[in-house]
C-alpha cells in the first residue's frame, strides 16, 4: 500500500518515538516532538505506540492512498477534510482510495500527527524511522516530505479495530496562555537572584524562530551572573538554556546532544506536549515544581492517555 | 533552597564532600538542586514515608587540583554527575570511566548516557526511578580507569589555503607563523572528550594552550564537510557541512559520520587522534 504526497505542507516529516541512546555520538533522539499526541494517533488506528507517523507543522500536507486505509489525526486541531467531508480530530476513520486527505491548517497548537494503520514504512536508520533534517538521516532521505513523494505503508497489524475516539481529557488542552511546570536547575548558580525570580514570574512570547531543536522565547532577558559559556555537557529535552542575550530556549528532540549554555530550569516530561504545541506569539510562563510533583504529573498524563481511548460502536 | 545548620543539624563532616546534614522532609531534598544526593537511593526517598535521619551532602567547591563530584537532577528524568576540578583532562577521564561503567553494566531504565567536558548525563526512561546501583555508581568517588579506545586514528589534513581560511588568523592571535601553528597542531595525541554540536562532531582535548583561539565573532553560514577547526580550548572536525563559528585551519577527507554504521561516529568518546599534515 502506498501514500502519495500531493502537497507537502510547511514542514512534514516521518517521526516515530526516535532513537534515544546515541547521545554519546552526537546523535539526538529526534522522534515526535509531541510524543503523547504521536502515541495517541497510533493507538487510535490500532498500531503499536511507536509506529512511524507523519508530523505535520502548522500547515499540513495533502495526500492520497491507493487503497482504503484506516487513519487518525491527533495533536494540533486542523481544518482537515477527506474529499469534501470534514474530519474530526482524535477519531479513527477510513480514508477512501478515491479521496484526497487535506490535513489543513492548524487552528490550535502547531503539530498534528497523522497515523496510518500499519505505520509509515520508511527505512530504519540507527534503530528508528525518525527524520533528523539537520543531519540528513531517517525518514525519506533525511528531509521533509515533498510533493510527489511515495510512502510505503507497513503491514496491517491484524484484527480490524472498532472505530476509536480520544476523550477530551486524553491529551493536554491547547488553548490560551501556556504554563510550563519546570524543575529549577541544573545551573541556577549561573543566574542572579533577580534573574531566577524574574524567570519564574515573567510572561514570555513564543518566537516564530522556533523549530524541532528548540522553542525560542522572547520577553524580559534572564539576568546571568556570569558568562553563559560553561563546559559543554549533555542536554535533555525540555532543558531551558539561556544564551548571552538572556532569551530562554526550551530544547526539543533535534537539539545538539551537548551544549555549553547555562540552563536555568528543565520543563517536566508531562508538559513537553505544551512545548511542542506552543504557537508563535502565544503568552508563556514557567511554574517551579518539585521532582515529586513532576513525577505525579507524568503518571496522571499517562493514565489519562491510556484511559482516554474510547471504542465507538 | 540551601540547607542551614540551624534548620538542619550538621551530623558529621566528610573531607571529600563537606558537611553532612540531617534532613527530615522529602521536600527539603526534592526542592534543592544544590544538594548532592550521594549514596541516597532516590526511589526509596520518594516512596517511603519519612522516618528519622537522612544523609545528604551540601555541595562545596574545593581547592584547585582536587576533583569534587556532585550529582544533580536535570528535570524529572535525568541525573548529571559533575566532576568539578581544575584539570579538564582529569575530569574528562573520570567522566569517561563512569560512562564506560554505566553503559556496560546498567540497562533497562537508562535510555542514554552522554559524556560532557567534565560531566556525565544519565537519562532515564520517562517515569523510571533510578536504581540503587545507578545512584551509588554516580555518587562514588572519582572512578578509576583510562580512556577507552586504544586505537590511534590518524587524520590527514590539508592545512591553510582555501581548506583552512582561518589559519592566518589563528597564527596572528597566537603570535606564531602559520608553519608553527601546523607543527603545534600536529604534535599532540588528542583524546575525544565528548561529541556534540552535530552528529559525529568530536571535541578533541589536548590542544596546545597557545593555539586556543576564541570562536569567530560572526559564525559562517556554511563550514564545509571535513573542516578541521579550533574553538576555544578544543579542536574538532566538522562531519557534515553546517553553519559553524570555529576557526577553520584545514580540511580532511576522512568520513567521520556514517548513519549506516552503528556506532555511527568514527571517533567515539575516549578515542585517540593525531593529525598529519599532507
Amino acid at each position: 500500500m502506498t501514500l502519495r504526497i500531493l502537497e507537502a505542507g510547511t514542514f512534514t516529516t516521518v517521526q516515530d518515538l526516535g532513537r534515544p541512546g546515541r547521545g554519546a555520538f552526537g546523535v539526538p533522539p529526534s522522534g515526535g516532538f509531541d510524543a503523547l499526541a504521536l502515541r495517541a494517533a497510533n493507538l487510535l488506528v490500532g498500531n503499536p505506540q511507536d509506529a512511524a507517523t507523519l508530523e505535520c507543522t502548522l500547515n499540513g500536507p495533502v495526500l492520497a492512498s491507493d487503497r482504503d486505509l484506516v487513519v487518525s489525526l491527533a495533536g494540533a486541531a486542523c481544518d482537515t477534510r477527506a474529499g469534501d467531508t470534514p474530519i474530526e480530530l482524535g477519531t479513527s476513520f477510513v480514508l477512501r482510495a478515491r479521496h484526497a486527505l487535506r490535513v489543513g491548517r492548524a487552528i490550535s497548537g502547531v503539530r498534528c500527527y497523522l497515523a496510518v494503520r500499519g505505520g509509515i514504512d520508511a527505512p530504519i536508520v540507527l534503530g528508528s524511522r525518525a527524520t533528523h533534517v539537520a543531519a540528513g538521516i531517517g525518514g525519506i532521505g533525511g528531509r521533509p516530505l515533498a510533493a510527489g513523494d511515495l510512502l510505503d505503508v507497513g503491514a496491517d497489524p491484524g484484527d480490524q479495530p472498532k472505530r476509536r475516539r480520544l476523550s477530551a481529557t486524553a491529551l493536554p488542552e491547547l488553548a490560551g496562555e501556556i504554563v510550563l511546570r519546570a524543575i529549577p536547575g541544573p545551573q541556577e548558580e549561573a543566574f542572579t537572584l533577580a534573574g531566577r525570580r524574574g524567570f519564574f514570574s515573567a510572561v514570555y512570547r513564543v518566537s516564530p524562530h522556533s523549530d524541532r531543536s528548540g522553542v525560542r522565547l522572547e520577553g524580559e532577558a534572564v539576568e546571568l551572573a556570569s558568562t553563559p559559556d560553561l563546559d559543554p555537557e549533555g542536554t535533555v529535552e525540555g532543558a531551558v538554556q539561556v544564551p548571552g542575550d538572556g532569551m530562554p530556549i526550551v530544547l526539543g528532540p533535534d537539539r545538539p546532544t551537548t551544549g555549553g549554555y547555562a540552563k536555568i530550569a528543565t520543563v517536566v516530561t508531562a508538559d513537553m506536549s505544551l512545548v511542542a504545541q506552543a504557537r508563535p506569539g502565544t503568552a508563556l510562563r514557567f511554574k517551579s515544581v518539585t521532582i515529586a510533583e513532576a513525577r505525579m504529573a507524568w503518571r496522571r498524563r499517562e493514565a489519562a492517555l491510556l484511559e482516554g481511548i474510547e471504542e465507538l460502536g | 533552597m540551601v540547607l542551614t545548620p540551624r534548620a538542619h543539624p550538621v551530623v558529621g563532616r566528610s573531607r571529600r564532600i563537606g558537611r553532612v546534614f540531617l534532613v527530615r522532609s522529602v521536600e527539603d531534598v526534592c526542592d534543592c538542586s544544590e544538594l548532592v544526593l550521594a549514596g541516597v537511593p532516590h526511589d526509596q526517598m520518594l516512596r517511603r514515608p519519612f522516618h528519622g535521619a537522612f544523609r545528604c551532602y551540601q555541595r562545596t567547591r574545593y581547592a584547585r587540583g582536587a576533583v569534587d563530584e556532585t550529582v544533580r537532577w536535570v528535570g524529572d528524568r535525568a541525573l548529571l554527575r559533575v566532576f568539578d576540578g581544575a584539570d579538564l583532562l582529569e575530569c574528562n577521564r573520570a567522566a569517561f570511566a563512569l560512562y564506560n561503567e554505566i553503559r556496560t553494566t546498567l540497562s533497562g531504565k537508562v535510555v542514554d548516557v552522554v559524556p560532557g567536558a567534565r560531566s556525565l548525563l544519565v537519562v532515564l526512561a520517562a517515569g523510571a526511578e533510578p536504581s540503587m546501583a545507578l545512584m551509588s555508581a554516580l555518587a562514588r568517588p572519582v572512578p578509576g580507569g583510562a580512556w577507552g579506545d586504544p586505537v590511534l586514528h590518524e587524520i590527514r589534513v590539508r592545512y591553510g589555503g582555501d581548506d583552512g581560511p582561518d589559519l592566518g588568523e589563528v597564527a596572528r592571535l597566537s603570535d606564531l607563523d602559520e608553519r608553527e601553528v601546523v607543527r603545534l597542531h600536529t604534535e599532540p595525541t588528542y583524546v575525544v572528550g565528548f561529541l556534540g554540536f552535530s552528529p559525529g562532531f568530536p571535541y578533541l582535548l589536548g590542544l596546545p594552550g597557545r593555539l586556543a583561539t576564541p570562536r569567530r565573532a560572526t559564525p559562517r553560514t556554511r563550514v564545509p564537510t571535513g573542516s578541521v577547526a579550533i574553538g576555544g580550548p578544543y579542536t574538532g572536525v566538522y562531519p557534515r557541512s553546517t553553519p559553524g563559528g570555529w576557526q577553520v585551519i584545514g580540511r580532511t577527507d576522512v568520513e567521520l559520520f556514517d548513519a549506516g554504521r552503528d556506532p555511527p561516529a568514527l571517533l567515539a568518546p575516549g578515542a585517540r587522534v593525531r593529525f598529519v599534515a599532507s
Side-chain angles (χ1 to χ4, degrees):
Chain A
M1 214 170 335
T2 311
L3 286 178
R4 175 185 292 276
I5 304 298
L6 306 173
E7 289 174 31
T10 315
F11 188 83
T12 308
T13 55
V14 176
Q15 297 294 345
D16 56 16
L17 291 182
R19 52 179 72 79
R22 291 170 183 83
F25 303 109
V27 181
S30 301
F33 200 156
D34 185 350
L36 220 50
L38 183 151
R39 292 164 60 203
N42 275 325
L43 286 168
L44 287 173
V45 296
N47 281 345
Q49 294 185 28
D50 62 351
T53 64
L54 296 183
E55 183 181 272
C56 315
T57 315
L58 286 172
N59 194 18
V62 180
L63 47 84
S65 170
D66 60 352
R67 298 206 208 137
D68 289 1
L69 184 61
V70 179
V71 306
S72 72
L73 294 155
C78 300
D79 55 345
T80 306
R81 282 171 182 275
D84 292 328
T85 317
I87 297 294
E88 203 186 330
L89 181 78
T91 313
S92 63
F93 62 97
V94 177
L95 174 65
R96 301 292 171 194
R98 62 182 182 278
H99 288 154
L101 178 68
R102 179 175 291 271
V103 173
R105 211 169 266 283
I107 300 156
S108 68
V110 174
R111 296 180 167 87
C112 181
Y113 294 84
L114 170 66
V116 301
R117 191 165 160 80
I120 304 289
D121 188 15
I124 293 179
V125 178
L126 298 171
S128 164
R129 296 183 170 91
T131 315
H132 176 34
V133 172
I137 59 178
I140 305 302
R143 59 169 172 78
L145 296 188
D149 280 348
L150 296 174
L151 304 177
D152 287 334
V153 175
D156 192 289
D159 286 355
Q160 188 65 24
K162 290 188 173 141
R163 277 193 74 198
R164 290 178 179 171
R165 186 172 67 187
L166 277 183
S167 74
T169 54
L171 294 174
E173 198 186 344
L174 307 174
E177 190 193 58
I178 300 165
V179 180
L180 299 177
R181 288 167 289 189
I183 295 162
Q187 276 109 28
E188 287 172 285
E189 70 274 11
F191 301 89
T192 62
L193 190 60
R196 279 184 261 172
R197 285 191 180 143
F199 173 75
F200 281 110
S201 59
V203 177
Y204 294 98
R205 294 263 161 210
V206 179
S207 160
H209 303 290
S210 301
D211 57 24
R212 287 177 40 88
S213 65
V215 169
R216 290 165 182 271
L217 303 178
E218 293 164 350
E220 199 183 317
V222 184
E223 196 176 71
L224 285 144
S226 54
T227 148
D229 281 338
L230 307 171
D231 293 313
E233 65 184 28
T235 56
V236 300
E237 197 158 318
V240 185
Q241 67 176 29
V242 182
D245 64 3
M247 296 298 151
I249 303 171
V250 186
L251 298 182
D254 285 355
R255 67 189 177 275
T257 59
T258 57
Y261 290 126
K263 290 155 218 109
I264 190 163
T266 309
V267 176
V268 303
T269 308
D271 286 351
M272 283 311 295
S273 292
L274 300 177
V275 175
Q277 301 293 1
R279 282 174 81 92
T282 311
L284 182 152
R285 58 193 175 84
F286 294 91
K287 178 174 183 270
S288 175
V289 295
T290 65
I291 292 172
E293 287 168 334
R295 286 168 172 258
M296 181 63 74
W298 184 81
R299 282 197 288 274
R300 290 211 181 107
R301 261 285 132 252
E302 284 292 301
L305 173 63
L306 299 178
E307 289 162 10
I309 308 285
E310 299 164 351
E311 304 237 316
L312 302 172
Chain B
M1 67 169 284
V2 175
L3 294 188
T4 59
R6 182 189 285 267
H8 312 276
V10 178
V11 293
R13 267 170 202 282
S14 153
R15 259 191 73 204
R16 188 162 58 74
I17 296 170
R19 289 180 290 186
V20 178
F21 288 85
L22 187 67
V23 178
R24 294 200 181 82
S25 136
V26 176
E27 292 296 299
D28 280 356
V29 182
C30 287
D31 263 353
C32 186
S33 65
E34 289 173 49
L35 285 181
V36 184
L37 302 179
V40 176
H42 189 80
D43 44 349
Q44 290 185 17
M45 198 177 85
L46 288 176
R47 281 184 183 149
R48 222 170 42 185
F50 221 74
H51 297 301
F54 190 94
R55 292 201 316 158
C56 85
Y57 308 108
Q58 183 129 27
R59 194 166 66 85
T60 53
R61 271 196 175 267
Y62 273 102
R64 291 175 75 82
V67 179
D68 174 24
E69 62 283 341
T70 65
V71 184
R72 301 172 181 199
W73 276 93
V74 181
D76 55 16
R77 50 175 289 207
L79 290 155
L80 183 73
R81 164 75 184 267
V82 178
F83 297 90
D84 208 0
D87 188 318
L88 175 60
L89 284 169
E90 279 307 308
C91 290
N92 186 261
R93 185 157 59 193
F96 176 78
L98 190 57
Y99 160 72
N100 240 359
E101 181 187 331
I102 290 179
R103 97 194 150 102
T104 53
T105 61
L106 296 167
S107 61
K109 292 173 178 177
V110 174
V111 297
D112 210 354
V113 188
V114 188
R118 299 169 193 261
S119 62
L120 187 73
L121 179 78
V122 178
V123 184
L124 305 171
E129 307 271 1
S131 66
M132 284 175 77
L134 174 64
M135 285 310 279
S136 63
L138 286 173
R140 208 171 297 152
V142 183
W147 283 292
D149 195 345
V151 181
L152 180 65
H153 298 270
E154 277 202 351
I155 294 184
R156 300 194 77 81
V157 181
R158 302 181 298 276
Y159 284 96
D162 288 347
D163 290 321
D166 299 327
L167 183 62
E169 177 71 358
V170 171
R172 191 182 65 77
L173 288 168
S174 52
D175 200 18
L176 296 163
D177 67 34
E178 295 190 3
R179 265 187 327 186
E180 275 295 289
V181 171
V182 172
R183 191 187 64 76
L184 275 178
H185 194 256
T186 51
E187 210 172 58
T189 299
Y190 297 92
V191 175
V192 180
F194 57 100
L195 289 89
F197 176 64
S198 73
F201 187 103
Y203 285 73
L204 301 175
L205 308 180
L207 183 72
R210 271 194 93 160
L211 295 188
T213 316
R215 280 168 283 183
R216 290 166 55 85
T218 311
R220 287 192 170 83
T221 52
R222 184 181 165 277
V223 176
T225 302
S227 290
V228 176
I230 291 173
Y234 306 106
T235 183
V237 187
Y238 286 81
R240 181 182 163 89
S241 175
T242 52
W246 286 21
Q247 309 272 5
V248 177
I249 59 170
R251 198 165 171 196
T252 178
D253 295 327
V254 172
E255 194 181 24
L256 274 94
F257 187 80
D258 176 0
R261 286 186 306 230
D262 203 359
L266 175 70
L267 304 176
R272 286 153 210 278
V273 176
R274 277 193 83 120
F275 292 110
V276 179
S278 64

